[in-house]
Amino acid sequence: MNARAGRAGREGEGGRGAGKDGRTGLRSVAGQVFALEALIALLVIAAAVFVIFHQAQRDTERDARIRSLAVAEAFAHAPGIDDALASPDPTAALQNRAEATRLATGVDFIAVLNPAGVRYTDSDPELIGRKATGDLSRATVNGESFTELFRGAPNDAVRAVVPVVDEQGKTVGLVSSGIEVQSITDAVQGRLPLLAGAAAGALALAVGGAGLVSRRLRRQTHGLGPAEMTRMKEHHEAVLHAVREGVLIVGPDHRLLLANDEARRLLGLSADAERRHVSELGLDPRTVELLTSGRAATDEVHRAGDRLLAVSVRPTLTAGAESGSVMTMRDTTELAAVTGRAAVARGRLQLLYEAGVRIGTTLEVVRTAEELAEVAVPRFADFTTVELLEPVLRGEEPPEDAATTTEMRRTALSGLRPDQPLQPVGDTVRFDVPSTPMARALTAGHAVAQAELASAEGWRAQDPEGAAQALAYGMHSLLTVPLLARGVVLGMANFWRADTPEPFGEEDLSFAEELAARAAVAIDNARRFTREHAMAVTLQRSLLPRVLPDQSAVDVAYRYLPAKAGVGGDWFDVIPLPGARVALVVGDVVGHGLHAAATMGRLRTAVHNFSTLDVPPDELLGHLDELTGRIDHRETEGPDAEGRRRDEGITGATCLYAIYDPASGRCAVASAGHPGPALVGPDGRVEFPELSPGLPLGLGLGDVPFETTELWLPEGSKLVLFTDGLLEDRGRDLDTGLALLGSTLARPDRSPEQTCADVLATLLSPSPRDDIALLVAQTRLLAPERIAEWEVARDPSAVSPVRNAAAAKLAEWGLDGLAFTAELILSELITNAVRYGADPVRVRLLHDRTLICEVSDGSSTSPHLRHATTTDEGGRGLYLVAQYAERWGTRYARRGKTIWAELRADETDAEPMAAAVPDLDALEDLAW
């Protein structure tokens, strides 16, 4: 009775509490929380019971497998099992034993089977003699013990099958034991009362806890009195209307519920704006769309009259529910203006940085002007033109009075569209009228902006027709700035606006001047380089051969191309040598510019001088290297020796020197650090002969002297000499260049001129980084019938027969007019070789452009010219040779020497002088 009364009292108290806030049962938040917690607890407990039940079933089944396998293995390996299986009646021997084991171990059955699966024993005697069902091959065939969940007659069971193996390893039977599924199920179901009790207890605890939480929540939400709620509302409104940020609250029906004072001020809302639809508040359409779309936003910029507002919108309820929205806003008009100016300044700085990177990438005046025009469009101007003075375009110094000039050459033009009305590139731009913006900018020396072109009377008067076309096209604003470098005007840049509505203003002047200043420096550098390049090219070409000498040994074609970035020191030469031979030379001086060109001229002159010595190529390169070293040492002495060595020395030059003899077809080649030649056979086969490269000139021979390589060239072969600038270039190394050159040369039946053209067409890049010198020489052989040779015995009496034979050969060649002169020279040379030389003594006549008389002997004694007195009996021999020969000289071989003399083949004045000389036989007694 007391308990019931207490319970009723509590229920009455709870009823009064519920009546206080007007909500009871599940309509209150506390009731809904209670129901949700109870439902969650029920679901969790049910899931736990389900999991535990199935886990117990799996555990019981696993235990059944383990126990069945253990029993079967123990029985199968028990002593005497194999003997019992081999007995006449295995059933009698094993039935009782198996049944006793089953009862002792608690399994439902133990069966012994033969290898075919027929039962010898079973817990059910009716099954003895029957074949067990299921797949037993794993035990009978593989000899494997296994467990399985067996479904079938007589009962579903967890069974284990173990083979019985005799001493020979043969399977003589099977033992199967197991526990029926029904036994497992009964064991698990026996645990259900315990699980149910535990679940009920857990549910009771969960419901009790939920009740406590619900009661606590009810007290927290309904404990406030009217005064406290009123005070909370007052505080809320004070904070809402005091902040300097506008707040709008819109309901789910898109009607305005609340607007604070700042929102009313920013949006211009009336006093009766509440409860009106947002589309009726006079807001910007984008703002109305944002409030009615239901989407969230952060700091979107919206207009409200002449203001810019940063607007953020959030829903008032969680996602998925019908919700209103809260919009906050702040005035960013001034911030946007400041930010816009900062963005413009940042863009200008970025453009200046890009200008520094993009303007002046080459050392070409025109290209630099084009880069200035391209940089300014479209980020600063819609169209840009660049005009330069004529001397600047040629690389010359601009005139001092350039600020007063009235015409320039349009050099670059860039624009948004190609159909612009401005004068094209190459035209002369004039500004004779002093009031034009261009003339005013040149006079003032700084940028001038013409905001409205339509009002520029001077510009319109300068070219009325062109101005009308520009205005009709839409050109409305111009900014012109002179290009100044070192205080001298180089030209001017004009920036035009047509599509951009804003005109140029005062804030654009400083940027345009900075951009023009950077471009002017780059243009001036390109101008100075152009001047130096032109001077170097002029010097280089003046030092190279202008006309190749006449000779019969080779047919020659050549090409020389200076580098775009600066003239280097590449050179070539063709030098006629005695004996109808010719020297072919190609060289390269490291570096570019005037100094490299001057150094090349010195080396070429030295090669010409040393070639007069008529020494083998290796000796000539040795002399050249020694001279180079002396020049370097002499010119780089003093305190600033290292600087002058770097700037003026000629260390680093390479040279290839080849001598071709058309009489024998042999070519002697030596290299001082230079790439070897290419040899093209008459059939088009290309070879690159192996040469000993040697060291570059000026480094000294050291322990590695220059070496000569002997080549034999069939008639019609081509010897191709080149510098490394032909092979190496951007993206192509030396090996690739050699392969490309070889494939290009491998075409027979082409003249040297055609070969030069084809090689350059294949290997020449648009802008070569280095000079290119190419020399193609197609060989000729002197016909055998134009060569006569005799070997002379060391006997004065042998001179006369050789002289007579030579006279007969000259008559055969039709050179009777030279017979007496040739006999005189041969008599002198042969007589002295016999008297003072060494074996062997040989005589050779060559009929080329001239008649060449050669007398060789094995002595290296150097002859010299003497002037005999009137009383001397000898000493006139070489004097007579020098008088009658066109040229004469001595050439030394590895052993011995050759004295040669050349006579003009058309000489006709030799005979009249014959009376002034002694008898030829008497000449044999004259000494050197």
Side-chain angles (χ1 to χ4, degrees), residues 475-764:
M475 299 286 186
H476 64 84
S477 186
L478 167 65
L479 192 156
T480 181
V481 55
L483 299 175
L484 300 173
R486 297 174 289 109
V488 179
V489 174
L490 305 178
M492 65 188 332
N494 296 307
F495 305 100
W496 310 76
R497 282 184 178 173
D499 295 359
T500 303
E502 293 82 7
F504 289 109
E506 295 297 323
E507 66 277 5
D508 297 316
L509 295 178
S510 59
F511 170 77
E513 289 180 346
E514 179 65 24
L515 181 62
R518 298 191 180 198
V521 172
I523 292 174
D524 191 51
N525 289 338
R527 178 196 63 79
R528 300 167 97 178
F529 173 80
T530 300
R531 180 184 60 180
E532 182 178 343
H533 181 75
M535 294 172 61
V537 169
T538 303
L539 176 61
Q540 179 88 336
R541 294 192 182 280
S542 67
L543 296 174
L544 289 173
R546 298 189 178 184
V547 179
L548 295 182
D550 293 334
Q551 43 81 34
S552 304
V554 291
D555 184 12
V556 179
Y558 65 91
R559 295 289 189 277
Y560 170 76
L561 296 176
K564 292 293 184 182
V567 176
D570 293 13
W571 92 92
F572 65 92
D573 217 334
V574 178
I575 306 173
L577 297 178
R581 296 168 304 141
V582 65
L584 305 174
V585 192
V586 67
D588 185 4
V589 176
V590 176
H592 296 85
L594 292 172
H595 175 69
T599 300
M600 178 276 296
R602 298 164 74 181
L603 289 179
R604 179 172 176 252
T605 301
V607 170
H608 264 276
N609 292 335
F610 287 132
S611 66
T612 60
L613 299 177
D614 204 359
V615 294
D618 56 339
E619 292 186 24
L620 183 140
L621 292 180
H623 291 311
L624 190 61
D625 177 71
E626 182 182 1
L627 175 65
T628 303
R630 287 203 308 270
I631 293 175
D632 275 350
H633 181 72
R634 183 172 61 253
E635 291 189 350
T636 56
E637 292 178 343
D640 55 345
E642 188 61 31
R644 288 206 307 272
R645 180 181 300 276
R646 183 176 60 253
D647 298 336
E648 301 178 5
I650 57 178
T651 301
T654 63
C655 183
L656 181 73
Y657 189 85
I659 297 178
Y660 173 68
D661 185 358
S664 62
R666 296 194 175 276
C667 181
V669 186
S671 171
H674 198 86
L679 179 59
V680 185
D683 57 353
R685 188 165 58 93
V686 180
E687 298 179 7
F688 293 94
E690 290 287 341
L691 301 182
S692 176
L695 297 175
L697 300 174
L699 299 182
L701 290 177
D703 297 329
V704 185
F706 299 110
E707 295 183 13
T708 297
T709 301
E710 294 282 345
L711 306 175
W712 182 76
L713 308 182
E715 186 171 14
S717 300
K718 295 187 185 72
L719 193 65
V720 182
L721 283 67
F722 50 86
T723 56
D724 56 4
L726 179 69
L727 305 180
E728 296 179 314
D729 205 83
R730 297 179 180 90
R732 187 176 68 204
D733 57 15
L734 183 62
D735 294 337
T736 304
L738 282 174
L740 193 58
L741 176 63
S743 62
T744 305
L745 293 175
R747 302 180 206 166
D749 303 328
R750 287 182 303 173
S751 67
E753 280 291 338
Q754 292 172 329
T755 302
C756 284
D758 292 344
V759 168
L760 290 185
T762 302
L763 278 82
L764 183 62

Side-chain angles (χ1 to χ4, degrees), residues 347-361 368 371-376 379 511 514-519 522:
R348 296 288 172 83
L349 288 175
Q350 180 66 25
L351 185 56
L352 285 177
Y353 170 76
E354 293 182 10
V357 175
R358 294 173 55 185
I359 299 176
T361 58
T368 305
E371 289 169 344
L372 168 60
E374 293 168 359
V375 164
R379 293 164 61 182
F511 170 77
E514 179 65 24
L515 181 62
R518 298 191 180 198

Side-chain angles (χ1 to χ4, degrees), residues 330-340:
R330 63 183 184 276
D331 191 356
T332 60
T333 305
E334 295 182 0
L335 179 62
V338 174
T339 304

